[in-house]
Every structure is written in C-alpha cells, then in structure tokens.
Amino acid sequence: AGKTTILETLVGLRPNASGQVAHYFDKNQFVLIGQQPFMALGSVADFLRLACPTATTAHMWQALEQAQAADFVRLLPDGLDTVLGTRGHGISGGQAHRLALARLFLTDPTLILLDEPTAYLDGQTRDQVLAAILRFAQGRALLIATHDEAVAAQLPHRWLLDQQQLYV
C-alpha cells in the first residue's frame, strides 16, 4: 500500500515524487524502525550500542525488558555478548524486532516512526510491547504503520492508506 515509502519519505530517506515535505523536527532526533530491522554482524551489546554508544549493561537490560527481549537474550549462549549473524541469523523475526525496539528505548527521539513494530509477535507479547512503546512515546510524536487492528485500536488517531490514497 506504500506505508513504508511514506515513512521513509517523511524522514528524507526517499525522494518524494511531487510536492514538498516540510520537516518540523531535527533530522537527527528521529528513530525509524522498519519491518526488517537492520542487523549488523556483532554481539547483542554491539547492536544495542549502535543507538547509544555509552549505554551501560544495566541500561541495556532495562531496554531489553521494555522490549520484552530480556528473557530470550538471557537464554542466548553468551547473553549480551552473543554474536549474531548478519541480518539477525540465529534469532527469529520477532526477536530481531524486539532487539530493534530495545535500541529505541536507549534513545531520546522527538519523532518515532515504526513500521509493523509488533509483527511476528503473539498477542500477549504484542500487547506488552505496544504498552511499552506508548509509555515511551509520551511527550513525543509517534507514527505507527500497521495492518494489525489490535495495534491501531490503541492509537488515538488512525489514517487509512488505500490504493495510494491517504484518508484521515
């Protein structure tokens, strides 16, 4: 439907086909987490520190708890020091998403753009992750692109994108 394209255009990662996009935010103060989060070769800690190089171990565990990722990271062979393969080889899609969300919780953005942030999650985990996102987003701008009606129902405003038309 073009939701990913819209998110990427809003933050200047794609050129807009026509018209102009006015940026009312500092381009260094946004976080965009796509449907397929970028996973670099390195440890879980290395991945988290991409968002906050000064993050302590305690901060990382706190962010992992918020993202409902701490339990599975504790089960990894070396915990935070477990080396993940490129593109998250060795973890599931839902686990990769939760690690990306943990990175979000280590930042202080003014604008948060999330593309299907609860994809690959069961209903209970989805609800816990969404609650953490909504708490974190207090006082910030949040835009979530989703097909999940349970997620959309938790948001104060909904827009529908259909056949490349946006309905407010």
Side-chain angles (χ1 to χ4, degrees):
K3 58 187 180 51
T4 301
T5 301
I6 287 176
L7 292 179
E8 291 175 354
T9 301
L10 285 173
V11 296
L13 295 176
R14 287 182 186 248
N16 47 314
S18 64
Q20 294 182 357
V21 176
H23 293 107
Y24 296 101
F25 60 92
D26 179 343
K27 286 189 177 187
N28 296 318
Q29 290 297 311
F30 74 87
V31 170
L32 169 63
I33 299 177
Q35 288 185 46
Q36 310 260 318
F38 171 74
M39 302 289 292
L41 181 63
S43 70
V44 172
D46 293 338
F47 178 73
L48 295 174
R49 285 196 178 109
L50 288 173
C52 181
T54 60
T56 65
T57 300
H59 288 131
M60 287 187 279
W61 282 114
Q62 182 181 19
L64 290 166
E65 289 288 347
Q66 288 177 276
Q68 301 299 307
D71 288 345
F72 84 78
V73 171
R74 283 188 189 96
L75 294 175
L76 293 173
D78 296 315
L80 285 172
D81 295 323
T82 299
V83 175
L84 302 175
T86 55
R87 301 198 314 186
H89 182 73
I91 60 174
S92 72
Q95 290 169 331
H97 248 91
R98 286 181 280 164
L99 288 179
L101 288 170
R103 281 185 13 183
L104 167 68
F105 297 133
L106 290 169
T107 65
D108 186 23
T110 3
L111 174 62
I112 305 165
L113 301 133
L114 305 175
D115 194 352
E116 299 291 357
T118 59
Y120 314 109
L121 303 180
D122 62 77
Q124 180 181 359
T125 306
R126 174 202 61 215
D127 294 345
Q128 292 169 331
V129 167
L130 184 59
I133 290 169
L134 294 176
R135 276 191 305 274
F136 181 77
Q138 291 295 314
R140 308 172 201 270
L142 171 67
L143 181 59
I144 297 178
T146 186
H147 289 106
D148 188 331
E149 281 297 321
V151 171
Q154 296 293 315
L155 303 173
H157 305 285
R158 288 195 252 178
W159 300 342
L160 174 65
L161 183 61
D162 186 32
Q163 302 296 319
Q164 299 184 342
Q165 295 292 317
L166 184 63
Y167 303 93
V168 181

